[in-house]
Amino acid sequence: MKHRHAYLIIAHGSFDVLRVLLEALDDIRNDVYIHFDGKLEQLPTVRMEKAGLYILNQRVKVYWGDVSQIKAEYALFETAFYNGVYSYYHLLSGVDFPLKSQDYIHQFFLNNQGKELIGFSQYNVEMEVERKAGRYHLYPRSFRNNGLYKRILRSIFLRMQELFGIKRNGDVRFRKGANWSSMSASFIEYLIPMKYEVFKMYKNSFCADEIYKQTVCWNSPFRLKVFNSEDEAKGIMRAVKWKGRQVFDWTIDDYEFLVQSEFLFGRKFSDDNMEVVNKVFELIKPKAEL
């Protein structure tokens, strides 16, 4: 079947949302690949009727801000790419949810065939990406769960690199944006052979999952295929509830905004706010045949 889509899901919790997400993606034109965090001891029971469902055996222990996030993404890219033929690959979190029907989403990508939905931050990111990807970071697996000792050492080590002018990847033109993307088969094919180079480049970096795809795309012919490089949200067609620099969960109070927006997906939802998830699903799910 032509124009099949692969949905690549990184899941670590909120399994009530995940189960409804799978219902929303359960379409004969889709295959769904799930990477469950390697730290999970017990996996939820999930099933699909129409779409193909693949649970990755190669499970990475994912730590926020660490290169392990990129390794989980590559595990999904490779598994899907070598398993089937797809026109688009949608990278989602297990707490994302479609805001449009599968008919609408498939038609959107037919109308924009070959476009890359990769988001680019619009502010000046030069100093930020230099700090995140141009310096070495200690204890990269404990950015969120670190004690005072690790924070002090990390800060001192970064300051020493600044004082002595120690930089890495100095010849790379970095770009930054949201890591959740929808990419063509051509871009995935271009990205996969770079795997070990990417792992090496971003080892001991900070939040490079928001940097590596943008950097590869911007420094390649795919830069000309970007769907929207001037608006990050529209560039990935994902609605995100920002308050300052923090992302908040969508609630039932946001329902009208979500369903009236042009965005294809929303992030992020939670098990504590299933009312909005279920209500969006009722709107977008296929109508029963009479």
Side-chain angles (χ1 to χ4, degrees):
M1 182 183 294
K2 293 182 178 179
H3 304 296
R4 290 179 59 78
H5 287 198
Y7 281 91
L8 316 178
I9 299 174
I10 295 179
H12 63 274
S14 298
F15 296 139
D16 289 343
V17 176
L18 177 64
R19 289 187 181 95
V20 184
L21 169 61
L22 295 182
E23 284 191 71
L25 303 179
D26 198 4
D27 186 292
I28 194 172
R29 295 167 291 185
N30 300 334
D31 283 337
V32 176
Y33 297 80
I34 305 178
H35 174 276
F36 285 108
D37 194 320
K39 298 190 297 297
L40 289 172
E41 295 183 359
Q42 186 172 355
L43 303 186
T45 300
V46 292
R47 59 185 293 273
M48 304 187 81
E49 294 180 0
K50 300 175 182 177
L53 178 61
Y54 303 90
I55 309 300
L56 268 65
N57 293 321
Q58 177 190 351
R59 293 170 54 208
V60 179
K61 292 183 178 180
V62 178
Y63 298 90
W64 182 83
D66 179 45
V67 72
S68 54
Q69 172 78 25
I70 300 176
K71 291 182 177 181
E73 293 182 14
Y74 261 99
L76 285 163
F77 296 154
E78 289 186 312
T79 302
F81 185 80
Y82 293 119
N83 187 62
V85 178
Y86 307 102
S87 57
Y88 270 91
Y89 297 73
H90 306 285
L91 182 63
L92 302 178
S93 163
V95 293
D96 293 351
F97 202 77
L99 303 178
K100 306 294 184 186
S101 69
Q102 283 302 301
D103 284 344
Y104 185 103
I105 290 173
H106 278 263
Q107 189 61 51
F108 175 91
F109 284 98
L110 276 174
N111 294 343
N112 294 281
Q113 187 67 39
K115 294 293 184 181
E116 308 299 337
L117 272 66
I118 298 173
F120 292 86
S121 299
Q122 297 306 299
Y123 59 92
N124 188 338
V125 301
E126 187 173 342
M127 291 184 63
E128 180 181 347
V129 296
E130 181 179 296
R131 175 176 60 86
K132 289 181 173 181
R135 309 287 184 186
Y136 295 92
H137 294 261
L138 296 178
Y139 311 112
R141 292 191 169 188
S142 56
F143 284 121
R144 275 187 167 165
N145 302 310
N146 55 6
L148 180 62
Y149 170 77
K150 288 183 179 179
R151 289 201 302 270
I152 291 173
L153 281 183
R154 184 182 291 120
S155 179
I156 291 173
F157 189 55
L158 283 173
R159 182 59 179 158
M160 287 178 61
Q161 292 176 72
E162 293 171 1
L163 289 173
F164 290 100
I166 299 173
K167 291 185 179 181
R168 61 174 180 165
N169 305 322
D171 58 342
V172 179
R173 298 171 62 203
F174 287 111
R175 291 295 183 269
K176 176 187 175 295
N179 60 325
W180 312 109
S181 311
S182 294
M183 297 154 285
S184 72
S186 296
F187 183 73
I188 294 295
E189 185 176 18
Y190 184 81
L191 192 63
I192 284 175
M194 299 181 177
K195 179 174 74 170
Y196 293 111
E197 178 185 348
V198 167
F199 291 174
K200 180 179 179 181
M201 180 180 296
Y202 296 104
K203 184 179 180 181
N204 288 89
S205 61
F206 176 56
C207 290
D209 55 302
E210 299 177 344
I211 297 173
Y212 84 100
K213 288 190 293 294
Q214 284 78 5
T215 299
V216 169
C217 180
W218 196 260
N219 293 290
S220 76
F222 290 96
R223 175 178 175 178
L224 301 176
K225 298 287 189 178
V226 172
F227 175 67
N228 187 328
S229 61
E230 298 180 354
D231 185 311
E232 185 175 2
K234 291 182 180 179
I236 55 175
M237 291 298 284
R238 285 155 171 81
V240 184
K241 189 176 182 179
W242 287 101
K243 291 185 180 179
R245 297 180 64 86
Q246 187 173 352
V247 177
F248 284 77
D249 296 337
W250 296 109
T251 70
I252 193 61
D253 294 335
D254 302 305
Y255 173 77
E256 292 298 332
F257 167 79
L258 291 171
V259 299
Q260 292 178 18
S261 76
E262 64 184 304
F263 297 113
L264 303 177
F265 305 98
R267 70 171 320 269
K268 58 189 182 80
F269 296 85
S270 72
D271 288 356
D272 294 330
N273 291 286
M274 287 303 295
E275 185 179 2
V276 66
V277 174
N278 292 325
K279 194 170 181 180
V280 172
F281 178 57
E282 286 301 315
L283 182 69
I284 68 170
K285 70 179 183 180
K287 301 297 185 287
E289 295 183 5
L290 298 176

